[in-house]
Amino acid sequence: MTSLSLDSDLWCRRFHPSPTAARRLVCFPHAGGSASFYFPVSAALHGPVDVLAVQYPGRQDRREEAGIHDLHRVADEVHEALRRWDDLPLTLFGHSMGALVAFEVARRIERAGGRIDHLFLSGRKGPSADRPDASHPVDDEGIVAELKAMSGTDARLLEDEELLGMVLPALRGDYRAVGAYRADRDAAVSCPVTALVGDQDHWAPVPEAARWRDRTTAAFDLKVFPGGHFYLTSRADEVTAVLRDHLAGALRA
């Protein structure tokens, strides 16, 4: 089995190599999600922007590996993998669980003396140092019910026992990792942060998403879109436009 450590090709997918790009966007998937979720973002932004999508263990081509159990360890691994890609200014985007991983990776990059241009945190409430996140189920029946409620997974997959059996192990590990995650009480980044959220997201209510304001010493912005937890699938063009506007502004600066 391929080693998990220091292998950036293992952790990062580059669907549309952009050798002349001046900026790099790194995208972090949600619980149970894979790098391919961000293929459309890569297709839309590649050229002036080099887009990387993180591939967690336990899914797709990494399905034979043990799944996630500790988000801090995942952030350590991704941070090491991104050392190969530090030749361009970095912007990070994470959705749901991916927002937590992106936040922790940004902290590690900054602690190591690197710089993050901007951190986009989607569909996730600001983390607490005081209490665990018990909002997600850990049993299979509860996980499937939640996926149906979130409307972020193809309904045909949820009805196919064979396919469901392939994705549930990764989901179990992801949900346990999210439930066990704690942010350090003073954990913050020094880069600007934008929180994005759906106005009907019961898993990340707008006031809770706004708590990311406390996790940066720089500028903070909150963008609210119509929709639920997976608002970004129905509002893909608008979310991509937010990223494009930021990256285009950074390129002009």
Side-chain angles (χ1 to χ4, degrees), residues 177-200:
V178 171
Y181 172 78
R182 306 286 194 286
D184 294 340
R185 190 171 300 280
D186 59 349
V189 292
S190 59
C191 62
V193 169
T194 297
L196 307 92
V197 67
D199 61 359
Q200 300 299 314

Side-chain angles (χ1 to χ4, degrees), residues 134-149:
S135 60
H136 297 293
V138 295
D139 64 288
D140 290 356
E141 183 178 349
I143 290 172
V144 172
E146 180 167 281
L147 291 177
K148 290 179 178 179

